Amino acid sequence: MSILRLGSTESGPIDCRYIQTVDLEITNHGWEPFDMLVQGYRSDGLFYVSLIHADPGQIVPVHGIMTNYTPFELVLVTNINVADYTAAVFMMKDRGNLIAVYTQNDADRFS
C-alpha cells in the first residue's frame, strides 16, 4: 500500500481559511491498475470518503471535496506498494475560483 497525505491549517503553508473546496486529479503512471481510497479528515473526524479505480495511463478526476474553510487533511491510500506510479494534483478553490495547485511532491508520501 502507498499513502499520500496533504494537510491544511489556519495560517499554515496551505491556509485553510481560503479553501472552500478541493478537486483532485489522480494519474496512474504505472503498468498495472490500482484502486485508491480518498479520505478527508477534519478535527471532528472523517468528512469525505471515495473509492476510485485508475487504469494505466488514466487520469481520474475527483471534484468538489467540501472543506468549508476549516483545517483538513486529505489521505490517499492505494492498493499498490510503489508510490512512484501515483501522481496527484490537488486544486484548491474558493467559490469555484482556482487559488492554488499542489502535487504529490507537496504531500507526505509513505510506502
Side-chain angles (χ1 to χ4, degrees):
M1 140 176 53
S2 74
I3 301 169
L4 291 171
R5 183 181 62 81
L6 186 76
S8 174
T9 60
E10 288 186 24
S11 302
I14 302 175
D15 195 335
C16 66
R17 296 174 301 165
Y18 304 100
I19 304 169
Q20 181 184 31
T21 63
V22 178
D23 290 346
L24 297 175
E25 283 186 358
I26 307 302
T27 304
N28 182 349
H29 289 296
W31 302 103
E32 295 185 36
F34 64 75
D35 296 314
M36 177 180 280
L37 178 64
V38 179
Q39 298 175 309
Y41 294 94
R42 287 193 289 247
S43 61
D44 59 348
L46 186 66
F47 73 93
Y48 181 87
V49 176
S50 179
L51 182 64
I52 63 168
H53 177 80
D55 287 320
Q58 184 178 19
I59 298 172
V60 180
V62 179
H63 296 289
I65 301 172
M66 295 296 295
T67 59
N68 290 318
Y69 311 106
T70 59
F72 65 89
E73 179 176 274
L74 295 175
V75 179
L76 315 177
V77 182
T78 68
N79 63 343
I80 58 173
N81 292 326
V82 182
D84 298 338
Y85 302 132
T86 307
V89 177
F90 302 84
M91 293 164 282
M92 309 302 179
K93 295 185 175 183
D94 181 22
R95 296 183 179 101
N97 298 308
L98 183 65
I99 59 168
V101 176
Y102 299 95
T103 70
Q104 70 278 354
N105 296 328
D106 300 300
D108 297 322
R109 190 180 282 257
F110 308 95
S111 293

